Amino acid sequence: MRFLTAGESHGPGLTIIVEGMPADVPLLAADIDRDLARRQVGFGRGGRMSIETDRATIRGGVRLGRTMGSPIALTLENRDFINWQVPMSVAPVDLDDPEVAAQLEAKKITRLRPGHADYPGAIKYGLTDVRNILERSSARETTSRVAAGAIAKQLLRQFNIHVHSQVVEIGGVGGDAPLRPELPDFAEWKALFEQVEQNDLRCHPALYERLRERIVEAAKGSYTLGGVVEVVAYGDIPVGLGSHTHYDRRIDGLLAGVLMSVHTVKAVEVGIGTAAARTIGAEVQDEFVSVDGEIARTSNHAGGIEGGMTNGQPVLLRAYLKPLPTMRKPLKSVDLVSGESFEAHYERSDTCAVAAGGVICEAMAAIVLAQELQRKFGGDSLGEMLRHAGRSPS
Ligand code: EPS
């Protein structure tokens, strides 16, 4: 499967096409809406989230609750568009009308926000107004990714593969907490993620108060915060998704690439990640042991990936998100047109969007896992894929 997205942050809406899903996978709009709602939760989000209630409309590729094998088309409305009909009009507007001209002028941005796409985007497209760059670089686009990821998850679920996430750190707080046993079994993972879903930071309950306090402090100080999310794929992870045979087939590279493409993500770890570079080989590799004649492991430092392939253990990834670059207390900047020093533009934004970041990273990881599952077990229909994987339809 592959997917394409279109749509601006304050334009009429978002459009998503997912091509290459096998036929016969159960899919309801509610399966997509569930993840869209999870992405909208998050203590520290700004006013926009109370305007939007993201819901997908399926416009093609699904019949009687099952995929047809044809491209799946989705649309999502931007409810905020009602407030942006003139500045984000698709059709040309009458610039001689002073009211219209004033509305366009009000939404013009020339004071570059450090850390945003503003500067390189404006230079790249030769613009004197950053609006067109902001509109598409906005993390609103991640709504579309979550919708596509929810479809990928529906395929994975048929193989008892589950992808979930938890926030493990915000603004430097929480990194010291042990948030799970060394080798959780299926029931322990499931219980952990059920707990995570109970709070609006999508974190282990033991962390909740500390993380929340950190965000309250940041909001008071008018600054923004980043953090760390852990993404886990668990269940019946097949051995051998990805490949050792070529650089662009290695699944760790594919997963890291898609997580790095998520807004504000600045680093990705697989398994124990950077810690592996600071210790000795014997501490890093996961030894094999024989349990009742079966090959087993006593640790999962590798995060379920060896030699660019899944090894059957849960896949463990961490993404590190920087603080959002739109700040109420602006940094020093320069006006794109006049070249004069100013404070950067402030447009309504969030104090912390790490909880949403986890749901987005989950979606991206699910897409790669679904693609690799298809590469390994291929098939035009779910039944054919299940047969290739030696599984019987549930
Ligand atoms: C965003 C700024 C805010 C966020 C937005 C991403 O939007 P606005 O400028 O309309 O207040 O709320 O996120 C979403 C709309 C969303 O659905 O996540 C930005 O600058 O990236």
Side-chain angles (χ1 to χ4, degrees), residues 9-10 39 45 48-49 54 80 113 116 137-140 142-143 326 347-350:
S9 183
H10 304 99
R39 195 199 69 94
R45 297 299 307 269
R48 178 73 183 272
M49 286 306 98
D54 291 326
D80 202 18
R113 292 164 302 166
H116 220 284
S137 67
S138 162
R140 178 77 186 143
T142 61
T143 314
T326 305
E347 178 148 328
R348 177 188 60 190
S349 189
D350 312 310

Side-chain angles (χ1 to χ4, degrees), residues 286-370:
D286 303 303
E287 288 181 302
F288 291 104
V289 289
S290 173
V291 177
D292 302 330
E294 300 277 329
I295 296 174
R297 310 308 272 267
T298 51
S299 58
N300 184 17
H301 301 151
I305 301 176
E306 291 173 302
M309 295 169 280
T310 52
N311 64 9
Q313 298 263 86
V315 175
L316 309 179
L317 307 164
R318 280 187 173 210
Y320 290 70
L321 288 76
K322 74 168 183 177
L324 298 172
T326 305
M327 274 176 262
R328 227 173 314 147
K329 208 180 329 174
L331 297 175
K332 277 192 284 198
S333 183
V334 169
D335 188 284
L336 178 65
V337 180
S338 71
E340 283 175 56
S341 295
F342 276 106
E343 287 192 332
H345 173 81
Y346 173 69
E347 178 148 328
R348 177 188 60 190
S349 189
D350 312 310
T351 302
C352 179
V354 176
V359 180
I360 302 157
C361 288
E362 243 176 61
M364 296 310 293
I367 288 162
V368 166
L369 290 166

Side-chain angles (χ1 to χ4, degrees), residues 260-282:
M260 282 297 291
S261 80
V262 174
H263 303 64
T264 74
V265 172
K266 292 293 129 197
V268 175
E269 289 182 332
V270 180
I272 61 168
T274 55
R278 302 201 180 102
T279 185
I280 59 168

